[in-house]
Structures are given as C-alpha cells and as structure tokens.
C-alpha cells in the first residue's frame, strides 16, 4: 500500500550504513548485499535456485542473466547479457536473496569476489529498474 513504511527496507539501509561506518565489512560486499536485497524486497528477486534451462543446481561456472535474473549452466544455451559466476559468488547471491534478515550480514567472501559480486548487483538493479541511480554513480566515483 502506498505511504506504508517498509520496515525491512529501512532496517536494511540502517544496517548497511552501520557496517560501513564501523568498517566491519568490505564496502563492495555491503554494496552488493544492499543492492541485491533491495531488489528482492522491491519485487525484482532473481531466480537463483537452479539453471533455468536444465535445472542444474550448481556447477564450477554458472552464468547469471542480468536482464532476466536467471541462472544458466555452461551446457545450456545462453542469449542476452550474462555475468560469469563461480560457486562462491552464487552461494553469496543465494544467501543474500533467501536468508533470514538476521543472518544477512553473517558471511564473508574474498575481496576480489566481493568486487565482482558488487559489479553484478549494480548492473542487475540498474537493468531491472531501468533507472541509473545517482548514488550508484557517486559510489563508483569514490571507490578505491
């Protein structure tokens, strides 16, 4: 309903800001967590269960379709804009999208993987909402 406060979204933003200001997590990981969970809360949840083509749950390399929010394995036909993801990134994406809120920030991944994940989530939320966010532009201008 319009005008109704979204407490989960507010809680997400406040928690993310807390982790950023206290430097408790790598900033690209916080960015990725925030973006993907905002997408889920807003009704743009990706399908991260299994390959959209054959149903394969996991492989060493999978592909995430930025446009449709679906997974493909290396054996299924891919069309569109896909990001290559490994088991670590897929596991992180599943955790962010499907875990209870109380466990949302309870994981870490290597910094190089967090940067890849943050790039994917940034592209995903931009494509799904068909909007370029000025805060995302600002973040990109100041990172590292």
């Amino acid at each position: 309903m319009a005008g109704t406060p979204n407490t989960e979204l507010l809680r997400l933003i406040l928690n993310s800001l807390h982790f950023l200001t206290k430097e408790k997590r790598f900033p690209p990981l916080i960015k990725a967590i925030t973006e993907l969970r905002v997408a889920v809360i807003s009704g743009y949840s990706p399908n991260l269960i299994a390959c959209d083509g054959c149903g394969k749950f996991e492989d060493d390399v999978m592909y995430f379709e930025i446009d449709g929010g679906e997974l493909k394995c290396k054996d299924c036909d891919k069309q569109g804009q896909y990001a290559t993801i490994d088991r670590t990134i897929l596991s992180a994406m599943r955790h962010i999208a499907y875990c209870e809120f109380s466990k949302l920030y309870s994981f870490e991944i290597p910094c190089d993987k967090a940067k890849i994940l943050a790039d994917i989530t940034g592209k995903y939320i931009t494509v799904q909402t068909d909007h370029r966010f000025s805060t995302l532009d600002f973040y990109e201008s100041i990172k590292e």
Side-chain angles (χ1 to χ4, degrees):
M1 169 180 255
T4 304
N6 187 327
T7 56
E8 186 177 5
L9 183 58
L10 179 61
R11 187 174 171 202
L12 173 68
I13 300 300
L14 291 175
N15 276 278
S16 293
L17 288 172
H18 169 77
F19 279 106
L20 284 172
T21 58
K22 298 298 181 184
E23 298 180 2
K24 294 185 178 248
R25 295 283 187 283
F26 188 51
L29 180 58
I30 297 300
K31 174 188 175 289
I33 290 170
T34 305
E35 288 172 332
L36 187 53
R37 196 61 174 233
V38 163
V40 169
I41 293 168
S42 302
Y44 297 100
S45 185
N47 179 2
L48 301 169
I49 304 288
C51 173
D52 189 55
C54 68
K56 184 183 277 186
F57 179 73
E58 197 170 64
D59 210 344
D60 289 333
V61 174
M62 304 240 353
Y63 301 93
F64 177 68
E65 183 186 16
I66 302 293
D67 298 337
E70 298 168 343
L71 287 176
K72 293 282 187 180
C73 71
K74 63 184 176 191
D75 299 324
C76 287
D77 192 24
K78 292 168 287 303
Q79 296 176 3
Q81 182 183 357
Y82 282 84
T84 304
I85 58 175
D86 63 12
R87 289 178 190 266
T88 301
I89 294 172
L90 177 57
S91 178
M93 290 176 78
R94 285 176 173 157
H95 178 85
I96 295 165
Y98 303 131
C99 78
E100 296 175 29
F101 190 89
S102 62
K103 298 177 182 176
L104 184 58
Y105 300 90
S106 68
F107 75 100
E108 291 189 36
I109 59 175
C111 292
D112 61 325
K113 306 280 185 184
K115 289 178 182 179
I116 294 168
L117 178 58
D119 183 56
I120 292 168
T121 59
K123 289 176 183 173
Y124 179 71
I125 200 159
T126 299
V127 168
Q128 293 303 307
T129 60
D130 196 27
H131 180 77
R132 184 71 189 166
F133 296 92
S134 57
T135 50
L136 185 55
D137 291 335
F138 176 72
Y139 171 83
E140 294 296 331
S141 73
I142 65 166
K143 73 178 184 182
E144 297 180 49

